[in-house]
Amino acid sequence: MTTTTGPTAVTGAVGSAHSRVEGVEKVTGAARYAAEVPFANLAHGWLVLSTVAHGRIRSVEAEPVRRMPGVLDVLFHGNAPRVDASYEGMLGRPDPTVAVFQTDEIPCAGWPVALVVAETSEQAREAAESLVVHYDERPHDVDFHLRRPDSYTPEGDGTRVEKGDVEAELAASAHVVDAEYSTPEEHHNAMEPHAATARWDGGRLEVVDSNQGSTWIADELSKLFSLDPASVRVRSEHVGGAFGSKGLRVHQVLAVMAATVLDRPVRVVMTRRQMFSLVGYRSPTAQRVRLGAEPDGRLRAVDHQGLNLTSTVHEFIESSASFGRPMYATDAHHSVNRVVRLNVPTPTYMRAPGEAPGSFALESALDELAEKCGIDPIALRVRNEPEVGPVSGLPFASRNLTACFEEGARRFGWAERDPRPGVRRDGRWLLGTGVASATFPVIVAPSTASATAEPDGTFTVRITASDIGTGARTALTLVAADALEVEPGRIRVRIADSDFGPATIAGGSMGTRSWGWAVRDAAAELREQLALGGDIPPQGLTTRSDTGAAIGALAQKERHSYGAQFAEAAVDVATGEVRVRRMLGIYAAGRIINPLTARSQLVGGMTWGLSMALHEEAVRDQLTGAHVGADLAGYHFAANADVPHIEADWVDDPDPDDPIGIKGIGEIGIVGAAAAIANAVWHATGVRHRHLPIRPDRVIQAGSPRA
């Protein structure tokens, strides 16, 4: 037995800048990602995808491929193990894509039709590219636009919200904006491809994966394969980006299938091109926004209608029309999210799902309203600040959006802005500035954690969190250090192992909030036990927390992060080139755990917003139903040269009724950024761009009355 005097009081870890605790491992290559973890006797699977956009598989010529060097097996719908995808998981009914090889039906191009397993990845790839699949092709439909007659409003809460008489308020308004906006299909494309290795060990399934929640994936796999949940373990220690795409996908399912058939470890890694078809994406949106206001800019009506596509096999809603529901006071409000089923892969959650495209439309429309009213865009937003939730009627837990605009305007030099468009020049460039609001809901989910006092004076925290590149591991180290009142160097945080117990996913900006709450509770209880004195046993002294009851007791309020986005754009109307010269984001995002990684997250989101505004656009060929240029050569996104100067900062945003105070910052950085840039382009040129991205050809076609 070892005697301890307990932790020495140290405060102030939370809120101080701290380098990533795993940083050295990552830059030296010691941190292993899912495709790098070694296994003895490892086999490799390579996916074969459909080349038709609709039809059925007539036959698979598997035997010639099985005779190729190194090939161990070819799995397809004729011989694959059976699975059951009729369950309800954490996020509801799964996309039937995960019920892979259960039918000969082909609903879209890029649908998985076979997996070739071989001794090496090179052998698997060569064999997969040699596999011949015959199809009976049917007509397909991938045509997406706002006026699809077969679009519909999905059932369920939140798809449609109404308050007051929108039509009457619009008719009585002095100023009306009625405009259509669109955003294209966009893709996650995380640096680390999706990869998973599965093996059976002593009757227990182990999966090493790149995901956003090991508990989540373990639970889904146990249900899909009808296994005892205790017999499934999923680990995902290091993840090289996710952004909503790394849930349960076909590669984990196929790795498990192949490992079961071959009784040896099998690894499946997706290629970049395969990721364009198999891991989800942001649906294109077509949106109509109608605003009605008094002469002084006070809103009388907000009507926001959003349409997204979904696959023929699964319904996914990109809730773009929901963005404005907590934002502005208005007499009447109507918002509805509609979908249309097409022969495409199922979309999924992508950074700020709904809010990113929805903010572009509504915040652009507000800029148009400000012009009509002759009011400064910031003044218009402040004039319509609500006292309670505009739709819900609930009190705000905290709402410091006005403070964001005040601080941002001061730092950006907004007061010197000439409101007239097209009057500023820098040589051949027209210059303009724009602004937009940002918001994202504060979400929290129950999680468990354990904290152990080790005999050597260190502490080990275990939680099934997922660090997808956000710095979550470091943030949790700081939370534990403050709760235990010790130096962060004495804390070791172990994450991403489903054996540590249930915890929520990394998504919806709720990871650090949810996990931090659980870690704080476990560590605080451990500190209290250590204060009683006594010996620490050789195995350590452990406490465990479960935040379910505490979360359930939270008062019902409007809980959101907020932000003000500022952008300066330069436009060459001769070439159509748009250059964003500077961006500033000021946020009210609750308690900031680690300013270093927080600023990195916010700047990353703003950069993605710039990319959304000017570059990103996945194009689908109407003839084949497949992507044009499904790679990082054909899919353009912002590079370092596109981002000369970005600043992100925050204002104080306390919530006295919230015991943890963390709001989350992973999503909000992208929200409103594209609108701020589009509004800056209007201010530079006097021409509105309502369809993203703002490509050079669109700038040239639109022309400029100020050129």
Side-chain angles (χ1 to χ4, degrees), residues 179-226:
E180 295 179 4
Y181 304 85
S182 69
T183 60
E185 180 179 321
E186 299 165 352
H187 285 258
H188 307 76
N189 274 307
M191 290 283 286
E192 179 201 14
H194 293 57
T197 304
R199 68 169 180 170
W200 289 92
D201 184 14
R204 195 168 190 230
L205 175 64
E206 180 182 16
V207 177
V208 174
D209 185 28
S210 178
N211 63 51
Q212 291 178 239
S214 297
T215 300
W216 177 27
I217 303 304
D219 180 65
E220 299 270 336
L221 288 174
S222 68
K223 288 181 169 68
L224 190 67
F225 286 93
S226 302

Tab-separated table of all heavy atoms in Angstrom, residues 179-226:
chain	number	residue	atom	x	y	z
A	179	ALA	N	-36.164	36.279	-52.194
A	179	ALA	CA	-35.034	35.850	-53.022
A	179	ALA	C	-34.769	34.366	-52.839
A	179	ALA	O	-35.112	33.778	-51.806
A	179	ALA	CB	-33.786	36.657	-52.678
A	180	GLU	N	-34.142	33.781	-53.847
A	180	GLU	CA	-33.762	32.374	-53.810
A	180	GLU	C	-32.247	32.255	-53.746
A	180	GLU	O	-31.523	33.015	-54.402
A	180	GLU	CB	-34.304	31.643	-55.037
A	180	GLU	CG	-35.826	31.586	-55.071
A	180	GLU	CD	-36.364	30.880	-56.295
A	180	GLU	OE1	-35.537	30.350	-57.091
A	180	GLU	OE2	-37.604	30.854	-56.467
A	181	TYR	N	-31.799	31.300	-52.963
A	181	TYR	CA	-30.369	31.070	-52.745
A	181	TYR	C	-30.089	29.581	-52.918
A	181	TYR	O	-30.976	28.737	-52.721
A	181	TYR	CB	-29.966	31.507	-51.326
A	181	TYR	CG	-30.310	32.937	-51.004
A	181	TYR	CD1	-31.584	33.273	-50.541
A	181	TYR	CD2	-29.382	33.952	-51.185
A	181	TYR	CE1	-31.916	34.596	-50.257
A	181	TYR	CE2	-29.701	35.277	-50.898
A	181	TYR	CZ	-30.971	35.587	-50.436
A	181	TYR	OH	-31.293	36.893	-50.158
A	182	SER	N	-28.856	29.263	-53.259
A	182	SER	CA	-28.502	27.847	-53.386
A	182	SER	C	-27.067	27.619	-52.936
A	182	SER	O	-26.215	28.504	-53.039
A	182	SER	CB	-28.686	27.364	-54.831
A	182	SER	OG	-27.721	27.958	-55.691
A	183	THR	N	-26.853	26.435	-52.416
A	183	THR	CA	-25.499	25.979	-52.074
A	183	THR	C	-25.294	24.621	-52.729
A	183	THR	O	-26.239	23.839	-52.854
A	183	THR	CB	-25.308	25.873	-50.548
A	183	THR	OG1	-26.253	24.926	-50.010
A	183	THR	CG2	-25.499	27.228	-49.876
A	184	PRO	N	-24.079	24.293	-53.150
A	184	PRO	CA	-23.851	23.052	-53.886
A	184	PRO	C	-23.559	21.873	-52.953
A	184	PRO	O	-23.454	22.031	-51.732
A	184	PRO	CB	-22.617	23.380	-54.714
A	184	PRO	CG	-21.840	24.298	-53.827
A	184	PRO	CD	-22.868	25.134	-53.098
A	185	GLU	N	-23.427	20.715	-53.523
A	185	GLU	CA	-22.959	19.535	-52.785
A	185	GLU	C	-21.522	19.765	-52.334
A	185	GLU	O	-20.676	20.201	-53.108
A	185	GLU	CB	-23.047	18.305	-53.685
A	185	GLU	CG	-22.591	17.013	-53.039
A	185	GLU	CD	-22.729	15.817	-53.963
A	185	GLU	OE1	-23.734	15.743	-54.710
A	185	GLU	OE2	-21.824	14.964	-53.954
A	186	GLU	N	-21.252	19.472	-51.060
A	186	GLU	CA	-19.913	19.672	-50.484
A	186	GLU	C	-19.489	18.425	-49.730
A	186	GLU	O	-20.336	17.686	-49.210
A	186	GLU	CB	-19.924	20.882	-49.539
A	186	GLU	CG	-20.300	22.182	-50.222
A	186	GLU	CD	-20.655	23.294	-49.246
A	186	GLU	OE1	-20.752	23.010	-48.025
A	186	GLU	OE2	-20.834	24.433	-49.694
A	187	HIS	N	-18.170	18.220	-49.636
A	187	HIS	CA	-17.659	16.979	-49.051
A	187	HIS	C	-16.682	17.235	-47.911
A	187	HIS	O	-15.961	18.232	-47.893
A	187	HIS	CB	-16.996	16.125	-50.140
A	187	HIS	CG	-17.987	15.455	-51.035
A	187	HIS	ND1	-18.324	14.132	-50.925
A	187	HIS	CD2	-18.765	15.956	-52.031
A	187	HIS	CE1	-19.250	13.830	-51.823
A	187	HIS	NE2	-19.530	14.929	-52.507
A	188	HIS	N	-16.661	16.288	-46.963
A	188	HIS	CA	-15.840	16.398	-45.758
A	188	HIS	C	-14.340	16.304	-46.074
A	188	HIS	O	-13.560	17.163	-45.696
A	188	HIS	CB	-16.170	15.269	-44.771
A	188	HIS	CG	-17.611	15.129	-44.419
A	188	HIS	ND1	-18.531	14.572	-45.271
A	188	HIS	CD2	-18.293	15.470	-43.303
A	188	HIS	CE1	-19.720	14.562	-44.675
A	188	HIS	NE2	-19.608	15.106	-43.486
A	189	ASN	N	-13.952	15.195	-46.712
A	189	ASN	CA	-12.563	14.977	-47.125
A	189	ASN	C	-11.557	15.212	-46.002
A	189	ASN	O	-10.633	16.028	-46.110
A	189	ASN	CB	-12.223	15.858	-48.334
A	189	ASN	CG	-12.602	15.178	-49.633
A	189	ASN	OD1	-12.199	14.047	-49.872
A	189	ASN	ND2	-13.394	15.838	-50.447
A	190	ALA	N	-11.727	14.496	-44.892
A	190	ALA	CA	-10.766	14.564	-43.793
A	190	ALA	C	-9.395	14.104	-44.270
A	190	ALA	O	-9.273	13.297	-45.201
A	190	ALA	CB	-11.237	13.694	-42.634
A	191	MET	N	-8.345	14.637	-43.628
A	191	MET	CA	-6.980	14.272	-44.012
A	191	MET	C	-6.760	12.761	-43.935
A	191	MET	O	-6.159	12.156	-44.816
A	191	MET	CB	-5.983	14.986	-43.100
A	191	MET	CG	-5.909	16.478	-43.336
A	191	MET	SD	-4.973	16.893	-44.822
A	191	MET	CE	-3.310	16.581	-44.257
A	192	GLU	N	-7.245	12.148	-42.841
A	192	GLU	CA	-7.094	10.696	-42.688
A	192	GLU	C	-8.278	9.994	-43.342
A	192	GLU	O	-9.425	10.213	-42.952
A	192	GLU	CB	-7.052	10.315	-41.211
A	192	GLU	CG	-6.912	8.815	-40.992
A	192	GLU	CD	-7.374	8.359	-39.610
A	192	GLU	OE1	-8.042	9.148	-38.899
A	192	GLU	OE2	-7.083	7.218	-39.248
A	193	PRO	N	-8.042	9.123	-44.313
A	193	PRO	CA	-9.151	8.374	-44.909
A	193	PRO	C	-9.825	7.468	-43.882
A	193	PRO	O	-9.277	7.163	-42.825
A	193	PRO	CB	-8.463	7.541	-46.009
A	193	PRO	CG	-7.169	8.220	-46.263
A	193	PRO	CD	-6.757	8.820	-44.953
A	194	HIS	N	-11.019	7.036	-44.205
A	194	HIS	CA	-11.745	6.109	-43.349
A	194	HIS	C	-11.061	4.749	-43.393
A	194	HIS	O	-10.798	4.214	-44.476
A	194	HIS	CB	-13.192	5.986	-43.812
A	194	HIS	CG	-13.982	7.246	-43.631
A	194	HIS	ND1	-13.611	8.454	-44.181
A	194	HIS	CD2	-15.134	7.488	-42.937
A	194	HIS	CE1	-14.502	9.377	-43.840
A	194	HIS	NE2	-15.427	8.829	-43.095
A	195	ALA	N	-10.781	4.199	-42.231
A	195	ALA	CA	-10.057	2.928	-42.153
A	195	ALA	C	-10.499	2.161	-40.922
A	195	ALA	O	-10.786	2.761	-39.874
A	195	ALA	CB	-8.548	3.171	-42.098
A	196	ALA	N	-10.548	0.833	-41.031
A	196	ALA	CA	-10.913	-0.017	-39.897
A	196	ALA	C	-10.255	-1.374	-40.043
A	196	ALA	O	-10.122	-1.904	-41.150
A	196	ALA	CB	-12.426	-0.180	-39.797
A	197	THR	N	-9.850	-1.934	-38.911
A	197	THR	CA	-9.339	-3.298	-38.855
A	197	THR	C	-10.179	-4.077	-37.854
A	197	THR	O	-10.425	-3.592	-36.738
A	197	THR	CB	-7.872	-3.337	-38.409
A	197	THR	OG1	-7.094	-2.520	-39.280
A	197	THR	CG2	-7.334	-4.767	-38.430
A	198	ALA	N	-10.636	-5.259	-38.249
A	198	ALA	CA	-11.450	-6.107	-37.377
A	198	ALA	C	-10.766	-7.441	-37.159
A	198	ALA	O	-10.123	-7.978	-38.073
A	198	ALA	CB	-12.837	-6.318	-37.982
A	199	ARG	N	-10.898	-7.957	-35.942
A	199	ARG	CA	-10.396	-9.301	-35.649
A	199	ARG	C	-11.213	-9.897	-34.513
A	199	ARG	O	-11.809	-9.180	-33.705
A	199	ARG	CB	-8.926	-9.273	-35.256
A	199	ARG	CG	-8.651	-8.610	-33.920
A	199	ARG	CD	-7.231	-8.861	-33.467
A	199	ARG	NE	-6.963	-8.220	-32.172
A	199	ARG	CZ	-5.873	-8.423	-31.455
A	199	ARG	NH1	-4.927	-9.234	-31.899
A	199	ARG	NH2	-5.719	-7.810	-30.288
A	200	TRP	N	-11.238	-11.222	-34.480
A	200	TRP	CA	-11.851	-11.947	-33.379
A	200	TRP	C	-10.743	-12.440	-32.456
A	200	TRP	O	-9.755	-13.006	-32.903
A	200	TRP	CB	-12.678	-13.120	-33.889
A	200	TRP	CG	-13.930	-12.690	-34.576
A	200	TRP	CD1	-14.110	-12.455	-35.907
A	200	TRP	CD2	-15.181	-12.414	-33.942
A	200	TRP	NE1	-15.390	-12.051	-36.146
A	200	TRP	CE2	-16.086	-12.025	-34.962
A	200	TRP	CE3	-15.636	-12.465	-32.623
A	200	TRP	CZ2	-17.406	-11.688	-34.696
A	200	TRP	CZ3	-16.958	-12.132	-32.355
A	200	TRP	CH2	-17.825	-11.748	-33.377
A	201	ASP	N	-10.919	-12.208	-31.171
A	201	ASP	CA	-9.904	-12.588	-30.182
A	201	ASP	C	-10.603	-13.212	-28.988
A	201	ASP	O	-11.252	-12.515	-28.200
A	201	ASP	CB	-9.110	-11.355	-29.751
A	201	ASP	CG	-7.975	-11.701	-28.787
A	201	ASP	OD1	-7.639	-12.901	-28.666
A	201	ASP	OD2	-7.429	-10.781	-28.158
A	202	GLY	N	-10.494	-14.536	-28.870
A	202	GLY	CA	-11.118	-15.232	-27.748
A	202	GLY	C	-12.627	-15.081	-27.722
A	202	GLY	O	-13.216	-14.931	-26.637
A	203	GLY	N	-13.253	-15.081	-28.874
A	203	GLY	CA	-14.700	-14.953	-28.940
A	203	GLY	C	-15.196	-13.529	-28.842
A	203	GLY	O	-16.410	-13.291	-28.795
A	204	ARG	N	-14.288	-12.572	-28.835
A	204	ARG	CA	-14.667	-11.165	-28.729
A	204	ARG	C	-14.222	-10.431	-29.984
A	204	ARG	O	-13.094	-10.616	-30.460
A	204	ARG	CB	-14.026	-10.546	-27.496
A	204	ARG	CG	-14.643	-9.208	-27.097
A	204	ARG	CD	-14.173	-8.790	-25.715
A	204	ARG	NE	-14.946	-7.648	-25.250
A	204	ARG	CZ	-14.432	-6.537	-24.760
A	204	ARG	NH1	-13.116	-6.411	-24.653
A	204	ARG	NH2	-15.204	-5.557	-24.351
A	205	LEU	N	-15.112	-9.580	-30.512
A	205	LEU	CA	-14.802	-8.798	-31.695
A	205	LEU	C	-14.096	-7.514	-31.285
A	205	LEU	O	-14.596	-6.751	-30.463
A	205	LEU	CB	-16.088	-8.457	-32.455
A	205	LEU	CG	-15.936	-7.528	-33.666
A	205	LEU	CD1	-15.085	-8.167	-34.759
A	205	LEU	CD2	-17.310	-7.137	-34.212
A	206	GLU	N	-12.931	-7.259	-31.888
A	206	GLU	CA	-12.207	-6.022	-31.652
A	206	GLU	C	-12.073	-5.282	-32.972
A	206	GLU	O	-11.673	-5.861	-33.986
A	206	GLU	CB	-10.825	-6.285	-31.071
A	206	GLU	CG	-10.040	-5.004	-30.807
A	206	GLU	CD	-8.638	-5.250	-30.280
A	206	GLU	OE1	-8.160	-6.395	-30.391
A	206	GLU	OE2	-8.020	-4.302	-29.780
A	207	VAL	N	-12.384	-3.988	-32.955
A	207	VAL	CA	-12.282	-3.155	-34.144
A	207	VAL	C	-11.430	-1.940	-33.813
A	207	VAL	O	-11.715	-1.216	-32.852
A	207	VAL	CB	-13.673	-2.705	-34.643
A	207	VAL	CG1	-13.532	-1.780	-35.850
A	207	VAL	CG2	-14.537	-3.914	-34.991
A	208	VAL	N	-10.375	-1.728	-34.588
A	208	VAL	CA	-9.567	-0.514	-34.489
A	208	VAL	C	-9.971	0.363	-35.658
A	208	VAL	O	-9.871	-0.034	-36.820
A	208	VAL	CB	-8.062	-0.829	-34.526
A	208	VAL	CG1	-7.247	0.454	-34.561
A	208	VAL	CG2	-7.674	-1.670	-33.317
A	209	ASP	N	-10.423	1.574	-35.337
A	209	ASP	CA	-11.194	2.340	-36.301
A	209	ASP	C	-10.843	3.816	-36.215
A	209	ASP	O	-10.213	4.273	-35.258
A	209	ASP	CB	-12.687	2.121	-35.971
A	209	ASP	CG	-13.626	2.757	-36.973
A	209	ASP	OD1	-13.242	2.898	-38.142
A	209	ASP	OD2	-14.748	3.102	-36.575
A	210	SER	N	-11.252	4.574	-37.212
A	210	SER	CA	-11.198	6.038	-37.175
A	210	SER	C	-12.632	6.536	-37.129
A	210	SER	O	-13.341	6.491	-38.129
A	210	SER	CB	-10.478	6.576	-38.419
A	210	SER	OG	-10.466	7.986	-38.417
A	211	ASN	N	-13.079	6.970	-35.944
A	211	ASN	CA	-14.497	7.312	-35.809
A	211	ASN	C	-14.708	8.488	-34.866
A	211	ASN	O	-13.769	9.015	-34.283
A	211	ASN	CB	-15.295	6.091	-35.336
A	211	ASN	CG	-14.873	5.610	-33.959
A	211	ASN	OD1	-14.795	6.389	-33.006
A	211	ASN	ND2	-14.594	4.317	-33.839
A	212	GLN	N	-15.970	8.866	-34.713
A	212	GLN	CA	-16.344	9.983	-33.853
A	212	GLN	C	-16.965	9.530	-32.541
A	212	GLN	O	-17.508	10.353	-31.809
A	212	GLN	CB	-17.302	10.912	-34.601
A	212	GLN	CG	-16.620	11.646	-35.741
A	212	GLN	CD	-17.570	12.534	-36.522
A	212	GLN	OE1	-17.740	12.347	-37.727
A	212	GLN	NE2	-18.181	13.514	-35.889
A	213	GLY	N	-16.865	8.238	-32.238
A	213	GLY	CA	-17.406	7.741	-30.982
A	213	GLY	C	-17.335	6.233	-30.918
A	213	GLY	O	-18.119	5.535	-31.566
A	214	SER	N	-16.392	5.719	-30.141
A	214	SER	CA	-16.198	4.265	-30.092
A	214	SER	C	-17.384	3.545	-29.470
A	214	SER	O	-17.742	2.439	-29.889
A	214	SER	CB	-14.915	3.939	-29.321
A	214	SER	OG	-13.790	4.469	-29.987
A	215	THR	N	-18.026	4.148	-28.456
A	215	THR	CA	-19.236	3.545	-27.890
A	215	THR	C	-20.310	3.431	-28.954
A	215	THR	O	-21.002	2.411	-29.072
A	215	THR	CB	-19.768	4.403	-26.728
A	215	THR	OG1	-18.772	4.502	-25.719
A	215	THR	CG2	-21.013	3.780	-26.122
A	216	TRP	N	-20.464	4.490	-29.717
A	216	TRP	CA	-21.457	4.535	-30.793
A	216	TRP	C	-21.238	3.400	-31.790
A	216	TRP	O	-22.165	2.641	-32.111
A	216	TRP	CB	-21.352	5.905	-31.460
A	216	TRP	CG	-22.227	6.144	-32.647
A	216	TRP	CD1	-23.427	5.565	-32.931
A	216	TRP	CD2	-21.975	7.070	-33.711
A	216	TRP	NE1	-23.939	6.081	-34.101
A	216	TRP	CE2	-23.076	6.993	-34.599
A	216	TRP	CE3	-20.947	7.964	-33.979
A	216	TRP	CZ2	-23.151	7.785	-35.747
A	216	TRP	CZ3	-21.035	8.752	-35.120
A	216	TRP	CH2	-22.114	8.658	-35.994
A	217	ILE	N	-20.019	3.267	-32.294
A	217	ILE	CA	-19.734	2.257	-33.307
A	217	ILE	C	-19.878	0.848	-32.733
A	217	ILE	O	-20.405	-0.059	-33.384
A	217	ILE	CB	-18.323	2.458	-33.898
A	217	ILE	CG1	-18.192	3.871	-34.486
A	217	ILE	CG2	-18.035	1.402	-34.965
A	217	ILE	CD1	-19.232	4.207	-35.535
A	218	ALA	N	-19.418	0.635	-31.491
A	218	ALA	CA	-19.550	-0.679	-30.863
A	218	ALA	C	-21.020	-1.061	-30.732
A	218	ALA	O	-21.414	-2.215	-30.998
A	218	ALA	CB	-18.870	-0.671	-29.500
A	219	ASP	N	-21.845	-0.119	-30.321
A	219	ASP	CA	-23.272	-0.395	-30.164
A	219	ASP	C	-23.916	-0.719	-31.509
A	219	ASP	O	-24.719	-1.657	-31.618
A	219	ASP	CB	-23.949	0.817	-29.520
A	219	ASP	CG	-25.436	0.612	-29.314
A	219	ASP	OD1	-25.801	-0.278	-28.511
A	219	ASP	OD2	-26.242	1.316	-29.957
A	220	GLU	N	-23.563	0.044	-32.554
A	220	GLU	CA	-24.143	-0.197	-33.874
A	220	GLU	C	-23.723	-1.559	-34.425
A	220	GLU	O	-24.535	-2.298	-34.986
A	220	GLU	CB	-23.710	0.915	-34.837
A	220	GLU	CG	-24.157	2.310	-34.440
A	220	GLU	CD	-25.505	2.707	-35.008
A	220	GLU	OE1	-25.898	2.144	-36.038
A	220	GLU	OE2	-26.151	3.584	-34.418
A	221	LEU	N	-22.454	-1.908	-34.266
A	221	LEU	CA	-21.981	-3.200	-34.775
A	221	LEU	C	-22.626	-4.362	-34.026
A	221	LEU	O	-22.956	-5.398	-34.629
A	221	LEU	CB	-20.458	-3.281	-34.670
A	221	LEU	CG	-19.668	-2.412	-35.644
A	221	LEU	CD1	-18.180	-2.477	-35.334
A	221	LEU	CD2	-19.918	-2.826	-37.093
A	222	SER	N	-22.798	-4.214	-32.725
A	222	SER	CA	-23.421	-5.303	-31.958
A	222	SER	C	-24.856	-5.524	-32.420
A	222	SER	O	-25.314	-6.671	-32.530
A	222	SER	CB	-23.375	-4.997	-30.463
A	222	SER	OG	-24.210	-3.899	-30.122
A	223	LYS	N	-25.570	-4.449	-32.705
A	223	LYS	CA	-26.949	-4.575	-33.190
A	223	LYS	C	-26.984	-5.123	-34.608
A	223	LYS	O	-27.793	-6.004	-34.936
A	223	LYS	CB	-27.648	-3.207	-33.145
A	223	LYS	CG	-27.977	-2.709	-31.745
A	223	LYS	CD	-28.693	-1.361	-31.821
A	223	LYS	CE	-29.284	-0.934	-30.485
A	223	LYS	NZ	-28.261	-0.612	-29.487
A	224	LEU	N	-26.104	-4.629	-35.465
A	224	LEU	CA	-26.100	-5.044	-36.868
A	224	LEU	C	-25.795	-6.532	-37.005
A	224	LEU	O	-26.407	-7.236	-37.819
A	224	LEU	CB	-25.069	-4.214	-37.644
A	224	LEU	CG	-25.079	-4.321	-39.159
A	224	LEU	CD1	-26.359	-3.735	-39.732
A	224	LEU	CD2	-23.867	-3.615	-39.752
A	225	PHE	N	-24.850	-7.024	-36.194
A	225	PHE	CA	-24.446	-8.430	-36.292
A	225	PHE	C	-25.088	-9.300	-35.218
A	225	PHE	O	-24.701	-10.458	-35.048
A	225	PHE	CB	-22.921	-8.534	-36.194
A	225	PHE	CG	-22.203	-8.087	-37.439
A	225	PHE	CD1	-21.754	-6.786	-37.569
A	225	PHE	CD2	-22.005	-8.963	-38.494
A	225	PHE	CE1	-21.098	-6.368	-38.716
A	225	PHE	CE2	-21.351	-8.568	-39.649
A	225	PHE	CZ	-20.900	-7.261	-39.763
A	226	SER	N	-26.058	-8.756	-34.479
A	226	SER	CA	-26.786	-9.495	-33.438
A	226	SER	C	-25.833	-10.114	-32.429
A	226	SER	O	-25.893	-11.307	-32.108
A	226	SER	CB	-27.668	-10.576	-34.076
A	226	SER	OG	-28.583	-10.008	-34.991
